[in-house]
Amino acid sequence: MRLFTLTRLVTAEGRRASGRLIGMAGGIAVGVALLLLLLGGYDGVTSRSERLSWPSLSHGESTELRDPAAAAPTDESVLAATNLEHFDGQEIIRVDIVATPDSTVVVPGVGRPPAAGTYHASPALIALIEANPTDTLGSRYGTRAGVIDTAGLAGPDSLVVVTGTTTENLRGPSVGMVGSVFLSGNVWSVTEFRGVSYPNSNYRALTIIGAIAILLPVLILVGIVTRLGAATRAERFAALRLIGATPRRVAAIAATEAGVTSLVGALTGVALAWLLIPVAALVEMEDGRFFRADLTVPPSTVLIVVAGVVAGCTAVAGWRTSRARIGPLGGSRERTERRPSALGVVPLIAGVVVLLGATTAALRHGPLPRTDQVLIAGFLLLLVGLIAAGPVLTYWISRVAARRAHRTAGVIAMNRIQQHPRATFRAVSGLVAAVFLVSFFSAGITTLAEEPPTEDSEYLSSSTLVAWFSPPPPDDANAVASNITAVAAAAARIARTDGVTATAIGSSHPETGAVFTAADAARVGLSNHDSASHIQVTGSAFGDGSLVTRPATAPGTTPRTLLVATDGTTHSVERARTAILGSELRLQSPTMTQADHESARSRTWADRYANLGHLAVLVATLISAVSLAVSSIAAILDRKRVLGLLRLMGMPVSTVRRVIVAEAALPLATVFALCVGLGILTAWFIVAGLTEGRRTINWLPPSYYLILATSLVLAATAVLATFRTARTSTTIEATRIG
Amino acid sequence: MDNTTTLLGLLGTGASYGYDLKSRYDRWFGLKKPLAFGQVYTTLTRLMRNGWIVAIGAEAGAGPERKRYGITPAGRARVLEWIFTPEVPSETLQSDLFAKTIIALLLGDDAGRLLDLQRSRHMARMRELTNEKRGAGLAVVLACDHALFHIEADLRWIDLTAARLSQLQAEVKK
Amino acid sequence: MNKVETISMSARAPENGSAPLLSARGLRLAFGLTEALRGIDLDCHAGEIIAVTGPSGSGKSTLLHVLAGVLVPDEGTVDYDTVRLTDLDEAGRSRLRLDKFGFVFQYGQLLPDLNAVDNVTIPLLLAGVKRREARRRADAWLDRLGLGECSRKLPGQLSGGQAQRVAIARALATKPTLLFTDEPTGSLDSLAAETVMLALTEAARDANTAVILTTHDPRTAAYADREVVVRDGQITIGGAYG
Ligand SMILES: Nc1ncnc2c1ncn2[C@@H]1O[C@H](COP(=O)(O)OP(=O)(O)OP(=O)(O)O)[C@@H](O)[C@H]1O
Ligand SMILES: [Mg+2]
């Protein structure tokens, strides 16, 4: 207890000291809160992905069926097929299950498989069904038998439906991807439904990078905050040493101080995290919002984090103090920093080499094992490398600048940086990391922007539904014939649906696409520039929904596609879609309008991470601005006596301000271009490396420059915020304390 | 130290017998070496000869120990002159200065002023010596330094005494 | 102005008969209940070296700060040449300090990150001198004060006496007319103190710079032309009348 009393006396007396401790505890609290949220988020992503990816069907105990018509469910297995459906631009995952009445198979979130003709839906979908007329949505599924509970859902916004059906009615499943759910395009026989934590290792790579992106600035902040007021504290410790305290005693006092402060900070952080969970649950990531429970960290983890942070802070403070070898003479003989060695740029270069190597290898030879891990390692090396190389580069540049400077502020600032390159760079290192990350994420997100459609492609009206059929086996003449009549009948029925203005059947073209008669084409709004008798339509079923029309001569016979034009209201479109889905047409892919394609395009996988990216950048920049303000103030406080005396000699306050600006601007300017360049390059490496070059990055969007400008403005604000301290702490009073 | 004027100064606080005079002297100044009786009477005789004191209220012819002595206006003037004349700084100055201070306090005079006067005298001497040092040979510089340090010692004592004057005053009043 | 003049005339005329460079009248300053200055009159003539001594806490530093226009007195005036310092605003006083005054303190006044020459160039740069020229002058001053070899050292690598001489070089580099120094030898031993004071007084004499210094050390005070003793915020010896 004597130690605690002593610590309190030595470190916690006075307003300035308590400000320092509050600052330290605050920084640690923010750090711990974010760490817990990140852990919760990481955990949440994993468990959620495990929970939600079961409709992929391939992860559990399941086998792919080559001939579903011949298969039958047993008590131990069900037949299942997953489809993607749309409603008003939203995507609905539909799992059709054929089960025996006594099936023992458990469907996640549902339990026993629903009986044929009934369905279980997620709460969000039920709300949607109830909010709309039955013939637009509800009648797609039959009668409701229950609700899917959270065990089978990604989050509160998931639109999932599990329907019971019969082997004959089991629809042809679609191919594609909804969030983390892969649609294989096959019917599966399933004995156990199971999800997977990471449907794709790319996801894990991106999640880890995102987490690091947020964590790094936090660590930098904690590093800065724990150094707060080190100069004044060193003087107190020196006084203690003078009156006979042993170096170990002093180290113990420093450690106790750090321990108690960090404990307070960590506990505050836990409370803060708890308060922030509802806010964090609003953040959409990957598959939408999280359940709050997903983000809650188990108490054991909280305990480990708190203990770890406290132990870490205590150990580092003790170690730092004993290493600083505070003598009885204290700070009067201020030791200058060791000159940073050129070795500091090695990790940076190594990082570039690793990324470059992994990406070229992936581009040349296809995916290598563990490419994702190598890319993460490269990314980390680069990030650490930037932080490590900063002081070296700053030192080099400040040496030149110190020689060139010709104004008072320049001379003072450049020499300061030259003597303390690490400390000055540390002040902006958070911002440096943020700029790197914002460049990285912004560049990575540009991968979203698909290539512009080819010139001669056109789009159907956004209210026209396109349904592609699976062609029947061409060698079975009977089947072909009955198919033609069936399609015609279905089309006729659909045409009678309320709100449908026209339908047109396109028949199979020998090469690709479908052929329409000129009359049909005109009714559904296909262009026919050359007034040909027939036109051939090719286009992307999964991509952007563009169609290419060209004159054709040979009309096909086998129906390939059905175009349904509507009057454009949401209800008409959905009513028509429900009619198509409810018909006996064997669809090959989801029935979509141009509007559906457009909203799907803005939901590609990279986009699902854009939120995380923006969040990371926001947090990183904000925290970095705080770090910058804190270190700028500390840098002035450490020199307040000298600066105060200089002001007493008549030096204007504006010079002190210019010193602050220069000390922040030089290290930032030094690595700014480097950060931007490396950030964009790294994004390219990672995007190209993970996709073997299928995707690449594009020009950065204007929003990037906006974010960049915002972070610079924040930095400027942080510096401006220190101006008051610059004025008040360098007055005559400052010179009296000696 | 100037025993003669010191005794005269003590008499300035009121007429007294030779024996009393000696014990009062010893109280302040005789800690190391008390005054001999013989010396007291020879000094009193000298003072009487200078007309600075007179014997009062004693039967003629009686021995000196039976006489009370009182100070004359001329004697008083002599004491004041002595007190407020700063001494030439020298190595043996201190005891004299001490005596002056005590007497001034006993007489209720401005002891601070005497210390200030002495201080100015000392400072002037130090300035002279410091100036002498400028550009002089090492021998001269060392000699001057020796003198400077001694004067400085006095000066420090003066400063300290000045700072303790009120304390000393209380002591004297007892 | 009038009042000052009448008082000055009543005072004993200084030897050279000229008007004082700096003239303070009736200075009073209280910090809360502590009356640091209680009516101080002081004149300082061009090129004159004045030592302000007195017990600790008597108000020496406060007096120095008021004379230099760092603190504003509650009452009384300070005139520098024809300028009434006590009527100027903070910016004006800063300007005056930079242009006309120099300062040397007890310790810790050098910027720790700047080497000796760069420290000396600071006031020159502030005064608008070009860096190259400033360095040349700074080097010349350091040479004069016998610090040629230390000119590229950082303050942390200098001894107290050397650092103090660097501070003197810095204070005199702008050729001030009046140098204020608070305990310039306070943390030095006798020899270092002597070196510093010799350097200070010689350099000040050559430049006809007046010096007002505070000290506890009689031997430092002995370098002055006259001594002013402050007790309890009042001048007991010296003062306006020299
Ligand atoms: N900023 C202040 N706030 C309150 N009191 C002050 C302040 N500055 C000085 N004082 C008080 O004013 C008085 C004079 O202080 P000053 O620093 O001028 O003394 P000094 O003569 O320089 O002492 P020293 O020789 O110890 O340096 C002291 O009693 C001191 O406590
Ligand atoms: Mg002082």
Side-chain angles (χ1 to χ4, degrees):
Chain A
M1 272 301 114
R2 280 238 316 282
L3 188 59
F4 281 99
T5 319
L6 203 55
T7 306
R8 215 194 60 228
L9 280 177
V10 174
T11 62
E13 291 294 299
R15 204 157 55 90
R16 184 148 288 147
S18 61
R20 185 176 84 84
L21 294 184
I22 289 171
M24 252 167 87
I28 290 170
V30 171
V32 167
L34 274 171
L35 183 62
L36 286 177
L37 287 178
L38 281 179
L39 279 176
Y42 182 80
D43 227 36
V45 168
T46 321
S47 61
R48 182 173 69 170
S49 166
E50 219 170 290
R51 213 168 48 221
L52 72 92
S53 56
W54 68 268
S56 300
L57 305 179
S58 55
H59 307 305
E61 296 282 315
S62 53
T63 45
E64 207 177 308
L65 298 179
R66 301 216 167 267
D67 185 9
T74 65
D75 281 356
E76 284 78 40
S77 72
V78 297
L79 304 186
T82 307
N83 262 282
L84 171 62
E85 285 184 3
H86 292 81
F87 183 85
D88 195 16
Q90 290 164 283
E91 289 172 333
I92 300 167
I93 294 175
R94 169 179 187 156
V95 185
D96 291 326
I97 293 178
V98 184
T100 58
D102 298 323
S103 186
T104 55
V105 178
V106 176
V107 181
V110 174
R112 280 163 63 95
T118 65
Y119 72 93
H120 284 61
S122 64
L125 183 57
I126 289 176
L128 205 59
I129 290 172
E130 281 171 358
N132 287 283
T134 317
D135 59 352
T136 60
L137 181 59
S139 61
R140 294 180 196 178
Y141 309 122
T143 35
R144 185 156 92 227
V147 183
I148 305 177
D149 68 32
T150 48
L153 297 176
D157 303 324
S158 302
L159 299 178
V160 181
V161 60
V162 178
T163 62
T165 184
T166 55
T167 315
E168 308 81 68
N169 289 335
L170 195 60
R171 57 189 64 244
S174 33
V175 180
M177 193 170 165
V178 193
S180 320
V181 178
F182 285 96
L183 308 182
S184 62
N186 289 308
V187 176
W188 294 73
S189 166
V190 182
T191 46
E192 191 195 339
F193 290 100
R194 208 187 299 140
V196 65
S197 354
Y198 282 97
N200 180 334
S201 58
N202 294 356
Y203 281 73
R204 190 169 50 211
L206 284 174
T207 312
I208 292 175
I209 287 176
I212 290 168
I214 297 184
L215 205 55
L216 186 81
V218 173
L219 288 181
I220 292 173
L221 176 71
V222 170
I224 287 174
V225 147
T226 49
R227 276 189 181 80
L228 269 180
T232 41
R233 203 181 56 157
E235 267 162 37
R236 281 175 177 231
F237 283 164
L240 264 189
R241 288 275 287 112
L242 198 60
I243 57 175
T246 59
R248 280 192 52 188
R249 184 43 56 99
V250 169
I253 289 176
T256 313
E257 179 206 45
V260 173
T261 315
S262 58
L263 182 65
V264 172
L267 292 180
T268 317
V270 172
L272 200 62
W274 186 76
L275 288 175
L276 281 179
I277 282 179
V279 181
L282 294 179
V283 176
E284 276 195 38
M285 222 176 82
E286 277 191 81
D287 301 279
R289 295 184 298 156
F290 282 94
F291 288 121
R292 281 184 200 181
D294 279 344
L295 295 175
T296 313
V297 180
S300 57
T301 312
V302 173
L303 216 63
I304 290 172
V305 166
V306 170
V309 165
V310 172
C313 286
T314 311
V316 167
W319 176 75
R320 236 189 237 161
T321 312
S322 61
R323 208 186 56 136
R325 271 196 279 278
I326 294 171
L329 293 178
S332 59
R333 291 266 159 140
E334 193 183 342
R335 244 180 306 274
T336 54
E337 280 185 17
R338 219 165 9 90
R339 193 198 280 192
S341 114
L343 287 179
V345 296
V346 169
L348 184 67
I349 293 169
V352 174
V353 168
V354 168
L355 284 175
L356 190 69
T359 306
T360 1
L363 289 185
R364 286 259 183 83
H365 314 292
L368 295 177
R370 296 171 189 277
T371 297
D372 58 328
Q373 284 163 31
V374 175
L375 285 173
I376 292 182
F379 173 82
L380 278 183
L381 259 177
L382 202 70
L383 194 52
V384 171
L386 261 180
I387 306 291
V392 186
L393 302 176
T394 306
Y395 174 72
W396 287 341
I397 293 197
S398 72
R399 263 183 46 168
V400 178
R403 246 176 275 135
R404 292 271 170 86
H406 57 274
R407 300 271 296 270
T408 321
V411 172
I412 294 177
M414 293 313 141
N415 281 289
R416 162 86 178 181
I417 297 173
Q418 200 183 331
Q419 300 299 334
H420 302 274
R422 287 187 190 81
T424 34
F425 183 76
R426 197 182 302 127
V428 298
S429 56
L431 216 55
V432 162
V435 166
F436 172 75
L437 292 170
V438 74
S439 306
F440 171 76
F441 277 110
S442 301
I445 287 166
T446 59
T447 189
L448 274 184
E450 304 275 321
E451 282 141 53
T454 41
E455 264 170 51
D456 49 355
S457 65
E458 60 177 300
Y459 295 103
L460 282 168
S461 144
S462 65
S463 59
T464 302
L465 287 153
V466 183
W468 294 86
F469 313 130
S470 318
D475 42 352
D476 187 343
N478 274 343
V480 171
S482 67
N483 186 35
I484 291 173
T485 48
V487 170
R493 231 178 9 256
I494 290 164
R496 285 195 299 276
T497 311
D498 213 10
V500 172
T501 54
T503 57
I505 300 173
S507 43
S508 190
H509 187 274
E511 281 154 29
T512 173
V515 179
F516 291 88
T517 64
D520 278 354
R523 277 192 302 133
V524 293
L526 284 170
S527 57
N528 184 2
H529 303 295
D530 306 315
S531 311
S533 62
H534 290 83
I535 54 167
Q536 178 196 4
V537 175
T538 55
S540 135
F542 301 112
D544 60 357
S546 63
L547 299 171
V548 180
T549 60
R550 71 176 77 87
T553 44
T557 47
T558 322
R560 187 73 181 88
T561 182
L562 175 68
L563 302 190
V564 180
T566 66
D567 61 12
T569 66
T570 307
H571 282 163
S572 299
V573 173
E574 297 309 331
R575 209 177 292 118
R577 184 165 13 225
T578 308
I580 296 171
L581 291 172
S583 70
E584 54 273 27
L585 297 171
R586 299 190 67 83
L587 301 169
Q588 189 190 31
S589 60
T591 301
M592 293 166 81
T593 63
Q594 181 53 30
D596 295 328
H597 278 294
E598 264 157 27
S599 52
R601 195 161 55 231
S602 64
R603 273 194 307 253
T604 57
W605 61 267
D607 181 51
R608 292 169 193 283
Y609 284 89
N611 274 319
L612 181 62
H614 289 313
L615 192 71
V617 166
L618 183 74
V619 171
T621 321
L622 271 177
I623 290 181
S624 310
V626 174
S627 303
L628 180 58
V630 166
S631 352
S632 294
I633 290 177
I636 291 301
L637 289 184
D638 283 356
R639 279 174 296 173
K640 68 176 175 183
R641 181 181 149 82
V642 190
L643 291 176
L645 289 175
L646 283 176
R647 271 192 65 194
L648 193 151
M649 289 176 193
M651 182 173 81
V653 204
S654 60
T655 305
V656 183
R657 293 198 190 115
R658 266 189 234 118
V659 168
I660 299 181
V661 172
E663 284 175 5
L666 181 102
L668 195 57
T670 303
V671 287
F672 192 78
L674 197 64
C675 281
V676 170
L678 282 179
I680 297 173
L681 202 63
T682 311
W684 180 79
F685 281 145
I686 291 194
V687 168
L690 284 180
T691 62
E692 288 103 45
R694 284 194 306 277
R695 281 170 182 275
T696 171
I697 61 168
N698 287 309
W699 287 111
L700 293 170
S703 65
Y704 165 71
Y705 301 98
L706 198 71
I707 297 177
L708 214 58
T710 312
S711 58
L712 288 180
V713 167
L714 269 176
T717 317
V719 170
L720 285 178
T722 64
F723 279 4
R724 211 185 79 87
T725 318
R727 186 167 48 79
T728 55
S729 65
T730 55
T731 54
I732 170 86
E733 306 300 325
T735 65
R736 293 194 65 91
I737 313 161
Chain B
M1 136 177 195
D2 186 350
N3 291 337
T4 316
T5 326
T6 307
L7 279 176
L8 181 63
L10 284 175
L11 276 177
T13 61
S16 114
Y17 291 103
Y19 181 82
D20 293 342
L21 202 57
K22 174 192 146 50
S23 50
R24 280 173 65 197
Y25 180 95
D26 285 349
R27 178 182 166 210
W28 290 111
F29 313 111
L31 282 178
K32 283 204 196 117
K33 200 175 132 230
L35 212 53
F37 270 112
Q39 208 185 339
V40 174
Y41 292 116
T42 47
T43 307
L44 285 174
T45 315
R46 198 168 340 126
L47 287 172
M48 209 127 65
R49 207 176 330 119
N50 283 344
W52 290 334
I53 57 172
V54 288
I56 23 176
E59 39 304 3
E65 69 272 20
R66 302 292 318 142
K67 283 182 183 150
R68 278 175 76 224
Y69 300 90
I71 194 162
T72 64
R76 223 172 258 288
R78 166 65 197 142
V79 172
L80 285 184
E81 182 198 327
W82 171 68
I83 286 179
F84 293 113
T85 306
E87 305 285 326
V88 174
S90 78
E91 296 171 25
T92 51
L93 178 77
Q94 196 247 30
S95 52
D96 227 356
L97 208 51
F98 177 56
K100 282 185 180 184
T101 310
I102 296 297
I103 297 300
L105 288 174
L106 286 172
L107 293 175
D109 238 310
D110 188 353
R113 188 169 141 239
L114 104 83
L115 288 172
D116 280 351
L117 287 172
Q118 190 62 52
R119 194 196 147 84
S120 297
R121 188 75 187 78
H122 271 66
M123 275 312 301
R125 179 65 191 140
M126 282 186 79
R127 273 198 291 277
E128 278 166 38
L129 287 166
T130 305
N131 272 329
E132 246 172 74
K133 273 166 71 182
R134 284 185 205 272
L138 195 57
V140 178
V141 168
L142 288 177
C144 288
D145 278 339
H146 188 257
L148 275 170
F149 276 114
H150 277 96
I151 299 174
E152 187 191 345
D154 278 351
L155 204 59
R156 288 194 181 281
W157 180 86
I158 291 171
D159 277 347
L160 199 61
T161 308
R164 289 180 171 163
L165 216 49
S166 51
Q167 219 181 326
L168 195 60
Q169 183 129 37
E171 190 100 332
V172 166
K173 285 276 155 62
K174 270 196 250 165
Chain C
M1 261 343 234
N2 274 338
K3 186 176 156 225
V4 174
E5 267 161 18
T6 42
I7 293 176
S8 307
M9 291 213 293
S10 73
R12 199 190 72 195
E15 285 140 62
N16 53 13
S18 66
L21 182 67
L22 189 82
S23 168
R25 287 295 173 272
L27 296 181
R28 287 183 167 276
L29 178 61
F31 297 105
L33 291 177
T34 321
E35 284 188 83
L37 302 181
R38 302 193 300 158
I40 283 192
D41 297 343
L42 184 69
D43 282 344
C44 176
H45 292 90
E48 192 183 19
I49 302 180
I50 300 178
V52 179
T53 60
S56 194
S58 57
K60 302 183 293 295
S61 301
T62 309
L63 174 61
L64 203 71
H65 287 149
V66 170
L67 293 178
V70 175
L71 289 176
V72 185
D74 296 337
E75 265 176 54
T77 56
V78 179
D79 292 294
Y80 169 80
D81 210 0
T82 56
V83 184
R84 174 142 296 184
L85 206 59
T86 34
D87 286 352
L88 293 177
D89 62 356
E90 171 55 35
R93 282 180 281 132
S94 283
R95 193 77 237 153
L96 189 69
R97 289 204 296 270
L98 196 57
D99 292 346
K100 303 290 183 193
F101 299 167
F103 293 86
V104 177
F105 301 93
Q106 183 174 351
Y107 69 96
Q109 50 197 315
L110 300 179
L111 278 158
D113 311 312
L114 269 60
N115 63 27
V117 195
D118 283 334
N119 259 296
V120 177
T121 59
I122 290 294
L124 291 169
L125 294 176
L126 281 172
V129 179
K130 287 261 181 312
R131 177 104 190 262
R132 183 184 294 265
E133 170 65 13
R135 271 183 164 246
R136 201 189 54 73
R137 284 197 223 165
D139 267 325
W141 269 105
L142 289 177
D143 274 342
R144 249 195 90 176
L145 294 173
L147 289 165
E149 277 151 39
C150 307
S151 64
R152 295 296 183 273
K153 283 189 179 174
L154 292 172
Q157 300 161 337
L158 296 172
S159 78
Q162 288 167 339
Q164 210 58 356
R165 277 181 287 159
V166 172
I168 291 170
R170 180 172 74 178
L172 292 174
T174 47
K175 296 200 171 32
T177 53
L178 189 48
L179 184 71
F180 292 96
T181 131
D182 200 357
E183 315 263 7
T185 57
S187 47
L188 303 178
D189 74 6
S190 305
L191 191 57
E194 182 169 319
T195 323
V196 165
M197 284 313 294
L198 263 181
L200 178 69
T201 48
E202 304 267 281
R205 288 247 151 77
D206 289 353
N208 197 33
T209 300
V211 178
I212 300 182
L213 62 94
T214 73
T215 183
H216 283 117
D217 178 8
R219 294 188 332 111
T220 296
Y223 283 90
D225 298 326
R226 66 185 171 99
E227 187 192 25
V228 170
V229 182
V230 179
R231 288 207 189 91
D232 281 338
Q234 285 174 315
I235 291 184
T236 54
I237 306 181
Y241 319 111

